[in-house]
Amino acid sequence: MSTSTIALVTGGNRGIGRSIVEALAADGRDVVFTYNSHEAEAKEVVDAVAARGRVAEAIRLDVTRPAEFPGFADTVRRTLRTRWDRESFDILVNNAGFALHTPLGGTDEETLDRLFAVHVKGVFLLTQALATAPEGASPLLADGGRIINSSSGLTRFVTAPYAAYGAVKGAVEVLTRYWAVELGGRGISVNTIAPGPVNTDFDGGYLRDENLQQIFGGLTALGRVAHADDIGPAVAALTREGTGWITGQRIEASGGFRI
């Protein structure tokens, strides 16, 4: 049986998710990660982890389809047994997500449903499928494990027109505190990481605009917007030995944006 620490990261094929996967691998962890599309990118991440001397497995998952979660959990269990001779993993990072503009007076029901499906319903039901089990069965997330939920600086500061995105991320932060209590008896810590502006393909990659980078950098204590590789190591740090007593917390990784 492998003694490796194993993490499961949703949305690990690009952007912040990929940075999280690679940072965990750099810390000596093996990783199972999900992707919804862009299979070629997922393969690149598997290869990047292998180049660090660790093992990664990519599994396709659409987090807006809760009916697939039991089958996904079965696939994870088989993967753990086959690749690591394990029945559980140690770290869950709920990272998958997206953002859309939602101005009041210009937002339809479908947009709200999509945001809720990914950031609240999907996070809740997938965590439930992985971190709990019926009586007599063992959960996939091991006792003493860690859960890191992805939120946003937009729950603290207001940048229109992201009202709905900020609201669903606020719900994630509330879930984090509740789960810290519900899972605390098993020694599982649950925290939220909240990035500020990050130069990725978030919302169409709008922060690749140099003028916006200058504006947002001027509002940031460290003088620039973040890159994905500023966030992955921050997530990995929350899973290291010695941080297990931190739980129920919102940790903002924004470089001091608008403080």
Side-chain angles (χ1 to χ4, degrees):
M1 181 178 71
S2 171
T3 58
S4 298
T5 300
I6 303 169
L8 191 155
V9 179
T10 63
N13 60 299
R14 58 168 49 191
I16 290 174
R18 176 170 181 165
S19 176
I20 293 169
V21 171
E22 294 195 25
L24 288 166
D27 268 9
R29 279 71 182 277
D30 293 338
V31 187
V32 177
F33 69 92
T34 74
Y35 66 98
N36 185 27
S37 56
H38 306 285
E39 185 175 2
E41 288 182 349
K43 178 62 166 59
E44 290 176 2
V45 178
V46 170
D47 292 343
V49 170
R52 294 180 179 272
R54 305 309 308 177
V55 176
E57 291 281 348
I59 304 174
R60 190 182 181 282
L61 177 69
D62 183 346
V63 295
T64 67
R65 298 179 179 272
E68 297 180 2
F69 293 173
F72 172 73
D74 288 342
T75 299
V76 170
R77 195 178 297 276
R78 286 195 303 271
T79 301
L80 290 169
R81 288 172 177 166
T82 300
R83 198 69 190 258
W84 290 279
D85 191 25
R86 287 272 303 272
E87 294 291 331
S88 63
F89 64 92
D90 308 287
I91 299 163
L92 171 62
V93 182
N94 286 307
N95 166 75
F98 71 99
L100 292 172
H101 290 191
T102 54
L104 194 63
T107 302
D108 58 29
E109 183 178 3
E110 180 182 2
T111 296
L112 291 175
D113 285 345
R114 287 176 61 198
L115 286 166
F116 183 85
V118 171
H119 296 284
V120 183
K121 185 177 179 180
V123 168
F124 189 106
L125 293 178
L126 183 60
T127 301
Q128 179 171 265
L130 298 173
T132 69
E135 187 174 352
S138 298
L140 278 164
L141 180 64
D143 290 357
R146 312 288 180 88
I147 297 176
I148 309 293
N149 295 321
S150 176
S151 182
S152 171
L154 290 165
T155 63
R156 175 178 66 82
F157 50 79
V158 174
T159 301
Y162 292 109
Y165 179 77
V168 294
K169 287 302 192 182
V172 168
E173 295 180 7
V174 172
L175 288 175
T176 294
R177 296 194 295 274
Y178 273 85
W179 291 344
V181 173
E182 291 187 47
L183 296 172
R186 291 172 51 198
I188 296 172
S189 67
V190 189
N191 292 293
T192 298
I193 191 82
V198 185
N199 183 6
T200 65
D201 58 0
F202 175 86
D203 194 19
Y206 77 103
L207 266 180
R208 293 189 177 119
D209 181 276
E210 292 185 2
N211 289 329
L212 281 179
Q213 288 185 33
Q214 290 180 358
I215 292 170
F216 281 20
L219 297 171
T220 304
L222 292 179
R224 63 172 176 83
V225 299
H227 303 291
D229 287 341
D230 292 311
I231 309 304
V235 173
L238 285 173
T239 71
R240 290 175 187 158
E241 186 176 353
T243 61
W245 200 242
I246 302 170
T247 194
Q249 302 303 304
R250 175 192 187 275
I251 296 157
E252 184 169 303
S254 68
F257 184 71
R258 290 173 61 174
I259 57 175

